[in-house]
Amino acid sequence: VHWLDMGKIRVSWGTSGQTLNDPYLAHGLVFAGGNFMGNQGTYAPMINRRLSWEKSDQYDFGLDLDMFNYRLNLKLDYYYKYTKSLIYKVPLPGGLYPFSTRMENAMEISNEGIELELQADIFRESAVSWRTKFNISRNWNRFEKSYTDKDIDGLVIGRPLSGLYVYAHEGFYESE
């Protein structure tokens, strides 16, 4: 078409992992603070030798259009990222402090979003140049799975992270 100077469709996929924040987390470091028969001591938390990196898969789709002698540029991007094996402190059944929890790869979340960027060269071949840009984006995240397959610690499966959840009400009384 005569008004389109350049058009490009972009598609990408990638997978990555995030290392543990504490490099020795899976080995069970010894901590000071245990108490044995009234004497100060040390303790080692529950060890999880199967603890691994957090893993993410991401898909990206994009569209770039340059139009009207490169005066109007449009970029549209969509992405979807699924993260599994998130590290979480899982309570142990019948565990006594300091053995009440253990770090596990226990959660899954997803992020998806869309981004739009428009750039217009209004004046470009005169003494005064004027370029304007417009950018808008939206991100949605969801808590996908927990180690119990149930809602935990304020995280609701299928709902956004850090969401505000309130009780539904029937109304209020205006008089006695």
Side-chain angles (χ1 to χ4, degrees):
V1 289
H2 69 283
W3 52 267
L4 182 64
D5 298 314
M6 194 271 298
K8 178 174 33 173
I9 296 175
R10 296 177 280 111
V11 177
S12 65
W13 168 81
T15 184
S16 64
Q18 179 176 326
T19 60
L20 306 174
N21 290 338
D22 183 349
Y24 301 103
L25 191 62
H27 300 293
L29 295 175
V30 175
F31 295 100
N35 192 349
F36 180 71
M37 297 179 70
N39 297 316
Q40 184 71 18
T42 59
Y43 70 92
M46 298 300 292
I47 298 171
N48 184 357
R49 301 244 184 247
R50 294 181 294 157
L51 196 63
S52 67
W53 290 14
E54 297 176 349
K55 301 171 186 86
S56 297
D57 287 323
Q58 183 165 341
Y59 305 90
D60 296 295
F61 303 96
L63 175 67
D64 296 346
L65 297 175
D66 292 332
M67 301 169 279
F68 308 112
N69 197 20
Y70 294 96
R71 286 189 180 269
L72 181 63
N73 305 333
L74 175 129
K75 290 183 181 177
L76 180 65
D77 290 296
Y78 169 79
Y79 60 89
Y80 180 79
K81 181 177 183 181
Y82 193 87
T83 304
K84 55 188 176 227
S85 302
L86 282 173
I87 296 173
Y88 188 77
K89 195 177 281 190
V90 174
L92 296 173
L96 299 173
Y97 182 80
F99 306 108
S100 58
T101 61
R102 178 172 92 163
M103 299 303 273
E104 290 188 11
N105 298 103
M107 307 285 211
E108 296 180 8
I109 61 170
S110 67
N111 284 289
E112 69 179 308
I114 191 165
E115 299 175 3
L116 173 67
E117 180 183 304
L118 290 171
Q119 176 180 310
D121 285 337
I122 299 168
F123 299 124
R124 70 174 177 187
E125 295 174 359
S126 63
V128 176
S129 63
W130 177 11
R131 174 182 288 170
T132 185
K133 279 189 177 184
F134 173 77
N135 186 328
I136 189 168
S137 64
R138 177 75 163 103
N139 182 64
W140 298 270
N141 61 26
R142 276 185 301 280
F143 181 59
E144 299 289 347
K145 187 177 177 186
S146 70
Y147 61 95
T148 61
D149 290 329
K150 296 179 184 168
D151 304 337
I152 56 166
D153 295 336
L155 300 171
V156 179
I157 293 176
R159 302 297 304 226
L161 302 172
S162 303
L164 297 175
Y165 303 104
V166 296
Y167 292 105
H169 62 88
E170 298 293 324
F172 56 91
Y173 294 103
E174 292 187 22
S175 66
E176 295 177 21

